Amino acid sequence: MVNAQQHVRAWDAEAQAYDEPADHGLLDPAARAAWRSLLLGLLPPPPARVADLGCGTGTLSVLLAEEGFDVVGVDFAPEMLRRAVAKGAGTPGVQLVRGDAAVPPLERATYDVVLCRHVLWALPDQPAVIGRWVDLLRPDGRLVLVEGSWSTGAGLTAQQTLELVRATGRLAILTPLDDEAYWGRATGDERYVVVS
Ligand SMILES: C[S@@+](CC[C@H](N)C(=O)[O-])C[C@H]1O[C@@H](n2cnc3c(N)ncnc32)[C@H](O)[C@@H]1O
């Protein structure tokens, strides 16, 4: 069985090349513009408090801080976090902390948005995790989950993610992310965002 420390080491090993795919580092202006436009359409207007759980190299955390959001990014992998801190240097409104996204070291009921891209699928006990994420939200807060069921066989189907969120008693709305602008290439698998 893989323990938590092995997971951390595995993600640390990914950090150096993590930003290379178009959707990871958003280094291509078209991909960056596509994600900016998507997120600004889904989130409440800034300034709003965003928890970006499993923030990786901080791409979305910093993008949102640049738009005026007050963002806390959480990741357990020191090498990912180191890159996130470097990326966020000089950008006001972004804080990056080491911690477990499954049990976020954040104050309950103080966030307008809990954002998580491509992390939920890999966490154990997803119903409990979703419950803790909902607890972070203010009464009118939003959960924004970007996930996929990828051609590799990994991931969560949209139906699985919808059911996880609806089991908390919340409404959940699915938006497919089929447009290749998000990924820098055509994709044939299931990619989506669920907002609740
Ligand atoms: C696929 S990357 C996604 C990064 C970022 N959300 C993005 O969209 O670019 C997954 C990230 O989640 C982090 N991660 C995975 N499990 C975690 C956990 N239990 N607690 C904190 N971070 C975790 C990894 O270290 C990695 O940075």
Side-chain angles (χ1 to χ4, degrees):
M1 197 168 143
V2 180
N3 65 34
Q5 206 44 47
Q6 286 169 310
H7 279 300
V8 169
R9 278 202 291 273
W11 280 113
D12 263 353
E14 297 283 323
Q16 188 177 359
Y18 185 78
D19 279 353
E20 288 173 11
D23 59 306
H24 288 187
L26 301 184
L27 301 171
D28 172 54
R32 192 171 187 81
W35 283 95
R36 178 189 290 112
S37 166
L38 174 74
L39 292 173
L40 293 182
L42 298 176
L43 270 54
R49 291 198 82 201
V50 179
D52 179 13
L53 303 181
C55 64
T57 58
T59 300
L60 296 186
S61 296
V62 175
L63 182 153
L64 291 174
E66 285 171 355
E67 295 297 327
F69 291 92
D70 181 10
V71 187
V72 178
V74 177
D75 206 285
F76 68 4
E79 274 304 304
M80 288 285 191
L81 209 57
R82 195 174 64 75
R83 285 170 167 76
V85 168
K87 202 176 279 181
T91 304
V94 64
Q95 189 192 343
L96 296 150
V97 298
R98 186 157 183 222
D100 185 353
V103 190
L106 303 175
E107 197 180 338
R108 298 179 65 204
T110 59
Y111 288 85
D112 301 298
V113 178
V114 169
L115 168 68
C116 184
R117 184 174 75 157
H118 299 163
V119 183
L120 178 63
W121 68 275
L123 298 179
D125 196 0
Q126 291 152 355
V129 169
I130 292 280
R132 288 192 281 271
W133 292 358
V134 167
D135 284 347
L136 294 178
L137 293 170
R138 290 181 169 143
D140 57 351
R142 293 178 203 181
L143 198 53
V144 178
L145 304 175
V146 180
E147 283 297 337
S149 175
W150 300 289
S151 52
T152 56
L156 287 170
T157 65
Q159 195 54 38
Q160 287 173 315
T161 301
L162 286 169
E163 283 171 13
L164 279 167
V165 175
R166 287 174 180 156
T168 68
R170 296 173 66 92
L171 295 175
I173 297 168
L174 172 70
T175 304
L177 300 179
D178 296 330
D179 192 328
E180 61 187 77
Y182 297 119
W183 316 107
R185 61 188 173 87
T187 56
D189 45 17
E190 189 181 30
R191 295 164 188 238
Y192 59 89
V193 56
V194 166
V195 178
S196 166

